[in-house]
């Protein structure tokens, strides 16, 4: 298990720092501009850190609808924001450029991120069209840009998508581990904030007991103990928002209550 070395604790909570729409995104606010994006990210990061999370992951969560081949302006904007925040970051951090694995490694190399999360393997029918991957190409790109030490979190139950092949989740987990040597597998619900099925989570963990398995969406104050009893950690975003609503800002008190429960459980 690498997670204690990289993230500092067992059963870590990786909090999402969702960036507002960026230049090129349909909902980007040209009037308020990038200064507004960076300031919102600063406030959210501060609330997450002061609330006690173990790590943070920056993502272009509001770049809806997502691209599977992200434009260069997106990673340029993300790098600007993260660069401005770096002096205040005091916990391990990662990045996720939705949904482009090569761009995620580009950004990780530029901002010294410790990990990325992406859809690295499989072919899917998705809300974004036919979604294909090529991890052989991606991992070669990863090493070519100097990101060889960046940990890769594989989402094997992608949001808003269905695996095209008729395969059991255990088979997907085992073959993903055998062929690609992921640092972790992530199990998700249908969308951000939607709970992952605990039974699917358990089946994945039992299929690959020596691989780190994270629950990737929908962890709340009510289900965190149940989920962490199975998973090796969680990625949490929506619950930390004001009123638990996806588009709202981070509420430090919600973060604090969640982390107190997690620390007692650990």
């Amino acid at each position: 298990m690498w997670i204690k070395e990289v993230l500092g604790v067992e059963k870590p909570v990786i909090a999402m720092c969702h960036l507002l729409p960026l230049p090129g995104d349909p909902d980007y606010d040209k009037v308020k501009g990038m200064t507004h994006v960076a300031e919102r990210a600063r406030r959210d990061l501060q609330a997450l850190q002061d609330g006690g999370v173990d790590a943070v992951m920056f993502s272009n969560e509001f770049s809806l609808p997502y691209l599977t081949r992200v434009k260069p302006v997106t990673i340029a904007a993300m790098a600007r924001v993260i660069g401005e925040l770096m002096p205040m970051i005091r916990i391990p951090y990662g990045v996720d450029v939705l949904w482009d694995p090569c761009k995620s490694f580009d950004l990780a190399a530029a901002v010294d991120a410790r990990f990325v999360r992406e859809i690295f393997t499989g072919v899917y029918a998705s809300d974004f069209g036919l979604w294909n991957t090529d991890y052989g190409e991606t991992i070669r790109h990863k090493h070519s840009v100097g990101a060889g030490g960046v940990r890769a979190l594989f989402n094997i139950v992608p949001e808003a998508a269905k695996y095209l092949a008729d395969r059991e989740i255990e088979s997907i987990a085992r073959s993903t581990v055998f062929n690609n040597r992921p640092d972790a597998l992530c199990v998700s619900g249908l969308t951000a904030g939607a709970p992952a099925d605990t039974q699917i989570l358990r089946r994945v963990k039992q299929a690959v007991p020596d691989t780190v398995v994270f629950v990737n969406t929908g962890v709340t104050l009510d289900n965190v103990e149940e989920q962490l009893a199975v998973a090796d950690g969680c990625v949490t975003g929506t619950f930390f928002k004001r009123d638990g609503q996806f588009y709202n800002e981070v509420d430090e008190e919600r973060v604090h209550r969640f982390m107190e429960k997690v620390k007692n459980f650990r």
Side-chain angles (χ1 to χ4, degrees), residues 205-250:
K205 186 60 185 176
Q206 290 174 345
V208 288
D210 296 327
T211 298
V212 174
V213 175
F214 288 127
V215 55
N216 193 48
T217 64
V219 183
T220 69
L221 199 64
D222 293 331
N223 68 13
V224 63
E225 291 180 329
E226 176 189 11
Q227 299 279 46
L228 288 183
V230 179
D232 298 301
C234 66
V235 180
T236 305
T238 301
F239 179 79
F240 292 152
K241 306 294 187 71
R242 177 172 50 83
D243 301 325
Q245 297 300 309
F246 176 66
Y247 285 98
N248 288 344
E249 73 282 358
V250 172

Short mmCIF file of all heavy atoms in Angstrom, two decimals, residues 205-250:
data_model
loop_
_atom_site.label_atom_id
_atom_site.label_comp_id
_atom_site.label_asym_id
_atom_site.label_seq_id
_atom_site.Cartn_x
_atom_site.Cartn_y
_atom_site.Cartn_z
N LYS A 205 -13.02 -5.03 -4.48
CA LYS A 205 -11.96 -5.20 -3.49
C LYS A 205 -11.64 -6.68 -3.28
O LYS A 205 -10.47 -7.05 -3.14
CB LYS A 205 -12.37 -4.55 -2.16
CG LYS A 205 -11.26 -4.57 -1.11
CD LYS A 205 -10.01 -3.83 -1.59
CE LYS A 205 -8.85 -3.94 -0.62
NZ LYS A 205 -7.63 -3.31 -1.13
N GLN A 206 -12.65 -7.52 -3.27
CA GLN A 206 -12.41 -8.96 -3.11
C GLN A 206 -11.70 -9.55 -4.33
O GLN A 206 -10.91 -10.48 -4.20
CB GLN A 206 -13.73 -9.68 -2.86
CG GLN A 206 -14.33 -9.38 -1.50
CD GLN A 206 -15.72 -9.98 -1.31
OE1 GLN A 206 -16.38 -10.40 -2.28
NE2 GLN A 206 -16.18 -10.02 -0.07
N ALA A 207 -11.96 -8.98 -5.51
CA ALA A 207 -11.34 -9.50 -6.73
C ALA A 207 -9.85 -9.14 -6.80
O ALA A 207 -9.05 -9.92 -7.32
CB ALA A 207 -12.06 -8.95 -7.96
N VAL A 208 -9.49 -7.96 -6.25
CA VAL A 208 -8.09 -7.51 -6.31
C VAL A 208 -7.67 -7.03 -4.92
O VAL A 208 -7.42 -5.83 -4.71
CB VAL A 208 -7.90 -6.41 -7.38
CG1 VAL A 208 -7.99 -6.99 -8.77
CG2 VAL A 208 -8.93 -5.29 -7.22
N PRO A 209 -7.56 -7.94 -3.95
CA PRO A 209 -7.32 -7.54 -2.57
C PRO A 209 -6.00 -6.82 -2.34
O PRO A 209 -5.85 -6.10 -1.34
CB PRO A 209 -7.37 -8.86 -1.80
CG PRO A 209 -7.07 -9.91 -2.83
CD PRO A 209 -7.67 -9.40 -4.10
N ASP A 210 -5.03 -7.01 -3.23
CA ASP A 210 -3.72 -6.37 -3.04
C ASP A 210 -3.60 -5.02 -3.75
O ASP A 210 -2.52 -4.41 -3.75
CB ASP A 210 -2.62 -7.30 -3.54
CG ASP A 210 -2.53 -8.59 -2.73
OD1 ASP A 210 -2.82 -8.53 -1.52
OD2 ASP A 210 -2.21 -9.64 -3.31
N THR A 211 -4.70 -4.56 -4.34
CA THR A 211 -4.72 -3.27 -5.03
C THR A 211 -5.55 -2.27 -4.23
O THR A 211 -6.58 -2.62 -3.66
CB THR A 211 -5.33 -3.42 -6.44
OG1 THR A 211 -4.52 -4.32 -7.20
CG2 THR A 211 -5.41 -2.09 -7.17
N VAL A 212 -5.09 -1.03 -4.17
CA VAL A 212 -5.84 0.03 -3.50
C VAL A 212 -7.16 0.26 -4.25
O VAL A 212 -7.17 0.38 -5.48
CB VAL A 212 -5.04 1.34 -3.45
CG1 VAL A 212 -5.89 2.48 -2.90
CG2 VAL A 212 -3.78 1.16 -2.61
N VAL A 213 -8.25 0.31 -3.51
CA VAL A 213 -9.57 0.58 -4.10
C VAL A 213 -10.20 1.76 -3.36
O VAL A 213 -10.36 1.72 -2.14
CB VAL A 213 -10.49 -0.65 -4.01
CG1 VAL A 213 -11.89 -0.30 -4.53
CG2 VAL A 213 -9.91 -1.82 -4.81
N PHE A 214 -10.54 2.80 -4.12
CA PHE A 214 -11.19 3.98 -3.57
C PHE A 214 -12.67 4.00 -3.96
O PHE A 214 -13.01 3.63 -5.09
CB PHE A 214 -10.55 5.27 -4.08
CG PHE A 214 -9.19 5.56 -3.54
CD1 PHE A 214 -8.13 5.82 -4.38
CD2 PHE A 214 -8.97 5.61 -2.17
CE1 PHE A 214 -6.86 6.10 -3.88
CE2 PHE A 214 -7.70 5.89 -1.65
CZ PHE A 214 -6.66 6.14 -2.51
N VAL A 215 -13.51 4.46 -3.05
CA VAL A 215 -14.88 4.81 -3.43
C VAL A 215 -14.83 6.24 -3.92
O VAL A 215 -14.27 7.12 -3.26
CB VAL A 215 -15.87 4.61 -2.27
CG1 VAL A 215 -15.47 5.36 -1.01
CG2 VAL A 215 -17.28 4.98 -2.69
N ASN A 216 -15.40 6.49 -5.10
CA ASN A 216 -15.08 7.69 -5.86
C ASN A 216 -16.17 8.76 -5.87
O ASN A 216 -15.89 9.91 -6.20
CB ASN A 216 -14.76 7.28 -7.31
CG ASN A 216 -14.11 8.38 -8.11
OD1 ASN A 216 -13.17 9.01 -7.65
ND2 ASN A 216 -14.62 8.61 -9.31
N THR A 217 -17.40 8.41 -5.55
CA THR A 217 -18.48 9.39 -5.54
C THR A 217 -19.48 9.06 -4.43
O THR A 217 -19.57 7.93 -3.97
CB THR A 217 -19.27 9.41 -6.87
OG1 THR A 217 -19.91 8.15 -7.06
CG2 THR A 217 -18.36 9.70 -8.06
N GLY A 218 -20.23 10.09 -4.03
CA GLY A 218 -21.40 9.89 -3.19
C GLY A 218 -21.15 9.49 -1.75
O GLY A 218 -22.05 8.97 -1.09
N VAL A 219 -19.95 9.74 -1.22
CA VAL A 219 -19.70 9.43 0.19
C VAL A 219 -20.22 10.59 1.03
O VAL A 219 -19.93 11.75 0.77
CB VAL A 219 -18.20 9.21 0.45
CG1 VAL A 219 -17.97 8.81 1.90
CG2 VAL A 219 -17.64 8.14 -0.48
N THR A 220 -21.01 10.26 2.05
CA THR A 220 -21.64 11.26 2.90
C THR A 220 -21.39 10.93 4.36
O THR A 220 -20.83 9.88 4.70
CB THR A 220 -23.16 11.30 2.66
OG1 THR A 220 -23.75 10.09 3.15
CG2 THR A 220 -23.48 11.47 1.17
N LEU A 221 -21.86 11.81 5.22
CA LEU A 221 -21.75 11.58 6.66
C LEU A 221 -22.48 10.31 7.07
O LEU A 221 -22.06 9.61 8.00
CB LEU A 221 -22.30 12.79 7.42
CG LEU A 221 -21.89 12.96 8.88
CD1 LEU A 221 -20.39 13.19 9.00
CD2 LEU A 221 -22.65 14.14 9.51
N ASP A 222 -23.54 9.97 6.36
CA ASP A 222 -24.37 8.82 6.72
C ASP A 222 -23.77 7.49 6.28
O ASP A 222 -24.02 6.46 6.90
CB ASP A 222 -25.77 8.96 6.12
CG ASP A 222 -26.55 10.11 6.73
OD1 ASP A 222 -26.30 10.44 7.91
OD2 ASP A 222 -27.39 10.69 6.02
N ASN A 223 -22.99 7.49 5.18
CA ASN A 223 -22.51 6.20 4.67
C ASN A 223 -20.99 6.04 4.71
O ASN A 223 -20.47 5.02 4.26
CB ASN A 223 -23.01 5.97 3.23
CG ASN A 223 -22.40 6.92 2.21
OD1 ASN A 223 -21.43 7.63 2.48
ND2 ASN A 223 -22.97 6.96 1.01
N VAL A 224 -20.26 7.03 5.23
CA VAL A 224 -18.80 6.98 5.14
C VAL A 224 -18.22 5.79 5.90
O VAL A 224 -17.27 5.16 5.42
CB VAL A 224 -18.17 8.31 5.61
CG1 VAL A 224 -18.46 8.60 7.08
CG2 VAL A 224 -16.66 8.30 5.37
N GLU A 225 -18.77 5.44 7.05
CA GLU A 225 -18.23 4.30 7.79
C GLU A 225 -18.47 3.00 7.02
O GLU A 225 -17.56 2.15 6.94
CB GLU A 225 -18.87 4.24 9.18
CG GLU A 225 -18.45 5.37 10.09
CD GLU A 225 -19.09 5.30 11.46
OE1 GLU A 225 -20.24 4.81 11.55
OE2 GLU A 225 -18.46 5.72 12.43
N GLU A 226 -19.64 2.84 6.45
CA GLU A 226 -19.94 1.65 5.66
C GLU A 226 -19.01 1.54 4.46
O GLU A 226 -18.48 0.46 4.16
CB GLU A 226 -21.40 1.69 5.19
CG GLU A 226 -21.78 0.53 4.27
CD GLU A 226 -23.15 0.71 3.64
OE1 GLU A 226 -23.71 1.82 3.74
OE2 GLU A 226 -23.63 -0.25 3.02
N GLN A 227 -18.79 2.67 3.78
CA GLN A 227 -17.95 2.65 2.59
C GLN A 227 -16.48 2.40 2.93
O GLN A 227 -15.79 1.62 2.27
CB GLN A 227 -18.09 3.97 1.82
CG GLN A 227 -19.50 4.27 1.32
CD GLN A 227 -19.84 3.55 0.03
OE1 GLN A 227 -19.59 2.36 -0.12
NE2 GLN A 227 -20.43 4.26 -0.90
N LEU A 228 -15.98 3.06 3.97
CA LEU A 228 -14.57 2.89 4.34
C LEU A 228 -14.30 1.55 5.00
O LEU A 228 -13.14 1.14 5.11
CB LEU A 228 -14.12 4.03 5.24
CG LEU A 228 -13.94 5.39 4.58
CD1 LEU A 228 -13.41 6.42 5.57
CD2 LEU A 228 -13.01 5.31 3.36
N ALA A 229 -15.34 0.87 5.46
CA ALA A 229 -15.15 -0.49 5.96
C ALA A 229 -14.73 -1.43 4.83
O ALA A 229 -14.11 -2.47 5.08
CB ALA A 229 -16.43 -0.99 6.62
N VAL A 230 -15.04 -1.05 3.60
CA VAL A 230 -14.70 -1.86 2.43
C VAL A 230 -13.52 -1.24 1.67
O VAL A 230 -12.55 -1.92 1.34
CB VAL A 230 -15.91 -2.00 1.48
CG1 VAL A 230 -15.53 -2.84 0.26
CG2 VAL A 230 -17.09 -2.60 2.21
N ALA A 231 -13.61 0.06 1.40
CA ALA A 231 -12.63 0.75 0.56
C ALA A 231 -11.38 1.14 1.34
O ALA A 231 -11.40 1.22 2.57
CB ALA A 231 -13.26 1.99 -0.06
N ASP A 232 -10.32 1.41 0.59
CA ASP A 232 -9.05 1.85 1.18
C ASP A 232 -8.98 3.36 1.34
O ASP A 232 -7.99 3.89 1.85
CB ASP A 232 -7.88 1.38 0.31
CG ASP A 232 -7.82 -0.13 0.22
OD1 ASP A 232 -7.68 -0.78 1.28
OD2 ASP A 232 -7.93 -0.67 -0.90
N GLY A 233 -10.02 4.06 0.93
CA GLY A 233 -10.08 5.50 1.05
C GLY A 233 -11.21 6.01 0.19
O GLY A 233 -11.92 5.23 -0.47
N CYS A 234 -11.43 7.33 0.18
CA CYS A 234 -12.52 7.86 -0.61
C CYS A 234 -12.12 9.19 -1.25
O CYS A 234 -11.24 9.90 -0.77
CB CYS A 234 -13.78 8.04 0.23
SG CYS A 234 -13.67 9.27 1.54
N VAL A 235 -12.79 9.48 -2.35
CA VAL A 235 -12.70 10.77 -3.02
C VAL A 235 -14.05 11.45 -2.81
O VAL A 235 -15.09 10.91 -3.17
CB VAL A 235 -12.41 10.62 -4.52
CG1 VAL A 235 -12.32 11.98 -5.19
CG2 VAL A 235 -11.13 9.81 -4.75
N THR A 236 -14.04 12.64 -2.21
CA THR A 236 -15.29 13.29 -1.81
C THR A 236 -15.31 14.73 -2.27
O THR A 236 -14.33 15.46 -2.10
CB THR A 236 -15.45 13.25 -0.27
OG1 THR A 236 -15.35 11.89 0.16
CG2 THR A 236 -16.80 13.80 0.15
N GLY A 237 -16.43 15.13 -2.87
CA GLY A 237 -16.57 16.50 -3.34
C GLY A 237 -17.90 17.11 -2.98
O GLY A 237 -17.98 18.08 -2.22
N THR A 238 -18.98 16.55 -3.50
CA THR A 238 -20.31 17.15 -3.36
C THR A 238 -20.74 17.30 -1.91
O THR A 238 -21.31 18.34 -1.53
CB THR A 238 -21.35 16.34 -4.15
OG1 THR A 238 -20.96 16.31 -5.54
CG2 THR A 238 -22.73 16.96 -4.04
N PHE A 239 -20.48 16.30 -1.07
CA PHE A 239 -20.95 16.40 0.32
C PHE A 239 -20.35 17.61 1.03
O PHE A 239 -20.98 18.18 1.92
CB PHE A 239 -20.62 15.13 1.11
CG PHE A 239 -21.07 15.23 2.54
CD1 PHE A 239 -22.40 15.03 2.88
CD2 PHE A 239 -20.18 15.58 3.55
CE1 PHE A 239 -22.83 15.16 4.21
CE2 PHE A 239 -20.59 15.72 4.86
CZ PHE A 239 -21.93 15.51 5.19
N PHE A 240 -19.16 18.00 0.64
CA PHE A 240 -18.49 19.12 1.32
C PHE A 240 -19.05 20.49 0.92
O PHE A 240 -18.69 21.51 1.52
CB PHE A 240 -16.99 19.10 1.02
CG PHE A 240 -16.26 17.93 1.65
CD1 PHE A 240 -15.11 17.43 1.06
CD2 PHE A 240 -16.72 17.35 2.81
CE1 PHE A 240 -14.42 16.37 1.64
CE2 PHE A 240 -16.04 16.29 3.40
CZ PHE A 240 -14.89 15.80 2.81
N LYS A 241 -19.91 20.53 -0.08
CA LYS A 241 -20.47 21.80 -0.54
C LYS A 241 -21.62 22.26 0.37
O LYS A 241 -22.27 21.44 1.04
CB LYS A 241 -21.00 21.65 -1.97
CG LYS A 241 -20.01 21.12 -3.00
CD LYS A 241 -18.86 22.08 -3.25
CE LYS A 241 -17.98 21.61 -4.39
NZ LYS A 241 -18.61 21.73 -5.70
N ARG A 242 -21.86 23.55 0.38
CA ARG A 242 -22.99 24.09 1.14
C ARG A 242 -24.28 23.39 0.75
O ARG A 242 -24.61 23.27 -0.43
CB ARG A 242 -23.11 25.60 0.89
CG ARG A 242 -24.30 26.27 1.56
CD ARG A 242 -24.24 27.78 1.43
NE ARG A 242 -24.01 28.23 0.06
CZ ARG A 242 -24.98 28.37 -0.86
NH1 ARG A 242 -26.24 28.09 -0.54
NH2 ARG A 242 -24.68 28.78 -2.08
N ASP A 243 -25.00 22.88 1.76
CA ASP A 243 -26.25 22.14 1.58
C ASP A 243 -26.06 20.85 0.78
O ASP A 243 -27.05 20.25 0.33
CB ASP A 243 -27.32 23.00 0.90
CG ASP A 243 -27.65 24.26 1.70
OD1 ASP A 243 -27.62 24.18 2.95
OD2 ASP A 243 -27.92 25.30 1.09
N GLY A 244 -24.81 20.42 0.58
CA GLY A 244 -24.56 19.20 -0.18
C GLY A 244 -24.93 19.31 -1.65
O GLY A 244 -25.20 18.30 -2.30
N GLN A 245 -24.90 20.53 -2.18
CA GLN A 245 -25.27 20.76 -3.57
C GLN A 245 -24.03 20.97 -4.43
O GLN A 245 -23.15 21.78 -4.10
CB GLN A 245 -26.19 21.98 -3.68
CG GLN A 245 -27.52 21.81 -2.96
CD GLN A 245 -28.33 20.65 -3.51
OE1 GLN A 245 -28.54 20.54 -4.72
NE2 GLN A 245 -28.78 19.77 -2.62
N PHE A 246 -23.97 20.26 -5.55
CA PHE A 246 -22.81 20.19 -6.41
C PHE A 246 -22.23 21.55 -6.79
O PHE A 246 -21.01 21.76 -6.77
CB PHE A 246 -23.19 19.40 -7.67
CG PHE A 246 -22.12 19.29 -8.73
CD1 PHE A 246 -20.95 18.58 -8.49
CD2 PHE A 246 -22.30 19.88 -9.97
CE1 PHE A 246 -19.98 18.46 -9.48
CE2 PHE A 246 -21.33 19.77 -10.96
CZ PHE A 246 -20.17 19.07 -10.71
N TYR A 247 -23.08 22.51 -7.14
CA TYR A 247 -22.60 23.79 -7.67
C TYR A 247 -22.20 24.79 -6.59
O TYR A 247 -21.64 25.84 -6.91
CB TYR A 247 -23.66 24.41 -8.59
CG TYR A 247 -23.75 23.73 -9.94
CD1 TYR A 247 -24.73 22.78 -10.19
CD2 TYR A 247 -22.83 24.02 -10.94
CE1 TYR A 247 -24.80 22.15 -11.43
CE2 TYR A 247 -22.89 23.39 -12.18
CZ TYR A 247 -23.89 22.46 -12.41
OH TYR A 247 -23.95 21.83 -13.63
N ASN A 248 -22.46 24.49 -5.33
CA ASN A 248 -22.18 25.45 -4.26
C ASN A 248 -20.71 25.46 -3.86
O ASN A 248 -19.94 24.56 -4.23
CB ASN A 248 -23.05 25.16 -3.05
CG ASN A 248 -24.50 25.53 -3.29
OD1 ASN A 248 -24.82 26.25 -4.22
ND2 ASN A 248 -25.39 25.04 -2.44
N GLU A 249 -20.33 26.43 -3.04
CA GLU A 249 -18.98 26.52 -2.51
C GLU A 249 -18.81 25.53 -1.35
O GLU A 249 -19.79 25.02 -0.81
CB GLU A 249 -18.69 27.95 -2.02
CG GLU A 249 -19.40 28.35 -0.75
CD GLU A 249 -20.86 28.71 -0.91
OE1 GLU A 249 -21.37 28.69 -2.06
OE2 GLU A 249 -21.51 29.04 0.11
N VAL A 250 -17.57 25.26 -0.98
CA VAL A 250 -17.27 24.33 0.11
C VAL A 250 -17.69 24.96 1.44
O VAL A 250 -17.45 26.14 1.69
CB VAL A 250 -15.77 23.97 0.13
CG1 VAL A 250 -15.42 23.17 1.39
CG2 VAL A 250 -15.40 23.18 -1.12
#
